[in-house]
Amino acid sequence: MRGVLAAGVAPLAIPSDVLYGATAPSNRVNLASIGVGGQGGGLFNTLMQPDWIRVVAVADCFKERRENRVKQANDRYGQNVCTPYRDFREILARPDVDGVVVATPDHWHHHATALAMQAGKDVYCEKPLTLSINDNKDLLETARRYGRIFQYGTQQ
């Protein structure tokens, strides 16, 4: 009888892809897109490709943009995991958001990036980083002060 019982409980380990799909939740990064028009839309599409990234929030001041992107994400994931926001600061209050992609108009880059790092989020921001050298230096100091990963990049 013991042999039958032992056979009934095997296997002892179940692969994570059986329970969670291709990527286990512990191996997934939850990101938010702040600004999803133009360049931000292209960055959003890039974020949607890898299985290890979940876009869980979108902020844009234009309702149609943010809701279209949220629908795109939720359709891809097959469930409602992405939430729209008009005010990006609401995203920063979410403990489940690991990082943000800032693709706002240029004059908002410094403000959104600094607040995100202060809220404990890692940040990717497109060019131009800010409108002044002093603001650029401030973001470097903010990243160091809060121990955040910060990447500044270009679409090229």
Side-chain angles (χ1 to χ4, degrees):
M1 189 62 128
R2 286 184 186 205
V4 172
L5 182 60
V9 295
L12 296 177
I14 299 172
S16 65
D17 62 333
V18 171
L19 297 174
Y20 305 112
T23 304
S26 60
N27 294 326
R28 184 172 294 133
V29 176
N30 289 331
L31 297 180
S33 284
I34 299 175
V36 290
Q39 184 62 23
L43 292 169
F44 177 87
N45 288 331
T46 300
L47 294 177
M48 296 296 295
Q49 294 175 18
D51 286 335
W52 56 272
I53 293 176
R54 281 278 192 245
V55 180
V56 297
V58 170
D60 199 287
C61 58
F62 294 101
K63 182 179 181 179
E64 185 176 356
R65 276 187 200 165
R66 68 178 175 262
E67 291 190 357
N68 285 342
R69 295 300 180 181
V70 166
K71 182 181 181 327
Q72 181 183 349
N74 288 335
D75 286 350
R76 165 134 170 27
Y77 303 137
Q79 54 186 320
N80 291 332
V81 299
C82 189
T83 305
Y85 294 91
R86 184 171 183 265
D87 187 337
F88 74 90
R89 292 170 292 193
E90 293 179 67
I91 290 173
L92 303 182
R94 287 181 53 168
D96 65 322
V97 173
D98 302 309
V100 299
V101 173
V102 176
T104 60
D106 301 347
H107 64 281
W108 274 94
H109 285 183
H110 178 268
H111 187 65
T113 299
L115 288 178
M117 289 190 287
Q118 290 169 11
K121 312 302 180 201
D122 297 325
V123 180
Y124 174 79
C125 184
E126 281 281 337
K127 70 153 182 79
L129 180 54
T130 66
L131 301 179
S132 76
I133 297 296
N134 286 336
D135 283 349
N136 291 352
K137 290 177 181 178
D138 178 66
L139 289 181
L140 175 61
E141 176 55 34
T142 301
R144 288 176 175 160
R145 183 178 328 126
Y146 292 95
R148 302 316 322 155
I149 296 170
F150 174 65
Q151 183 178 355
Y152 159 60
T154 70
Q155 67 266 24
Q156 299 167 8

